[in-house]
Amino acid sequence: MALWALTACGSSTGGGDDPTTAPTTTQAAAKDKGPQCIGEAPADGVHVLRGGGFRLPGGGGVQYAAASADGTSRTATLRDGAGYGAGQRQWTVKPGSRLTISGHAYTVRQVCSYRVVLEPKDAKDKAALAAAPESMEFAGGAADNALCFTTNRAVLAAASKSLPAQGQPLSLLDNGGVKQLPTGPSLTVSYVDTAAGTAGLGANCAGVPVALYKDVRIGDTVEFAGVLFKVSGLTEQAVRLTRTSG
């Protein structure tokens, strides 16, 4: 997937910063004006997490590079490729935007502060994304694509089961602590700034940064492996999340 054609409801922009590099926070980050989400997410949609990438059928990928909200509307900047590279093209999209990616058609169904949800148009692409992996055990690297970049319900259920139940907390340690899920994703804290009340959270899977939440605050929503959490505590030692989805 070398190039994308934006067929409706989007605008082309220039290059961008590396989404996999957390900033050094020197002042309080601007709070997102909301709304949190625009549009409805289909049950079999592709969840591209904020700051991260997703490998798509056909060998290419997409990243959720940046977000913008003005209190009444929300847009997202999507970038081609599952990982950052110099000279990549990117587009500003909203719900209803249609993308043709190397011959594969997708519609943007939902834009949230923490994710963008795409819906494949072709039944073959939907089937490829929902296909069962050969194994539910992760091996490391690209061999885990079917675990990391999937809409398969069994994989998502296994990841969900490995996380705390709804309403229960999950603590991610700062200073290199890693929470490894059995289906591949590894969750980390990139920094905590208690003075600003912000932190950076990330996830990697199959060698791809699949999420990088910069400057999250208490009360913000994040998503890992199809599960939603609210940030419920920040200390110099850890970030505490509380699961909000079933």
Side-chain angles (χ1 to χ4, degrees):
M1 297 183 191
L3 297 175
W4 294 7
L6 185 63
T7 57
C9 302
S11 59
S12 178
T13 62
D17 296 330
D18 187 338
T20 67
T21 303
T24 300
T25 305
T26 57
Q27 60 184 6
K31 185 173 176 59
D32 190 296
K33 296 180 181 179
Q36 185 176 69
C37 291
I38 295 289
E40 298 294 329
D44 58 352
V46 174
H47 291 204
V48 186
L49 304 183
R50 177 83 170 266
F54 192 104
R55 285 178 176 150
L56 295 168
V62 59
Q63 300 161 66
Y64 182 178
S68 178
D70 60 10
T72 58
S73 63
R74 176 173 289 282
T75 61
T77 300
L78 300 183
R79 181 160 48 203
D80 69 320
Y84 176 76
Q88 290 172 317
R89 296 183 64 189
Q90 59 185 35
W91 301 265
T92 299
V93 300
K94 60 185 179 181
S97 295
R98 291 175 290 171
L99 306 173
T100 301
I101 309 168
S102 190
H104 299 255
Y106 297 86
T107 301
V108 178
R109 291 302 184 193
Q110 186 183 59
V111 177
C112 297
S113 60
Y114 55 91
R115 74 182 183 201
V116 169
V117 181
L118 306 179
E119 184 177 33
K121 181 178 180 181
D122 193 284
K124 291 182 179 179
D125 290 333
K126 289 185 178 181
L129 286 160
E134 293 183 4
S135 172
M136 293 291 286
E137 300 293 328
F138 79 94
D144 295 327
N145 280 349
L147 291 173
C148 299
F149 310 108
T150 182
T151 61
N152 181 268
R153 294 187 179 183
V155 173
L156 296 176
S160 175
K161 187 177 180 180
S162 70
L163 292 163
Q166 187 174 10
Q168 296 301 305
L170 170 66
S171 290
L172 301 178
L173 300 179
D174 196 8
N175 297 321
V178 176
K179 169 67 175 177
Q180 182 73 58
L181 303 187
T183 53
S186 59
L187 316 182
T188 59
V189 176
S190 57
Y191 76 94
V192 178
D193 187 334
T194 55
T198 60
L201 307 177
N204 287 269
C205 204
V208 173
V210 294
L212 179 59
Y213 295 108
K214 299 179 181 180
D215 299 331
V216 294
R217 303 168 178 269
I218 291 176
D220 284 353
T221 296
V222 296
E223 178 177 332
F224 296 116
V227 176
L228 299 182
F229 296 88
K230 278 194 179 296
V231 179
S232 53
L234 299 174
T235 70
E236 293 180 355
Q237 291 76 37
V239 176
R240 180 173 175 169
L241 308 175
T242 299
R243 180 168 175 168
T244 57
S245 65

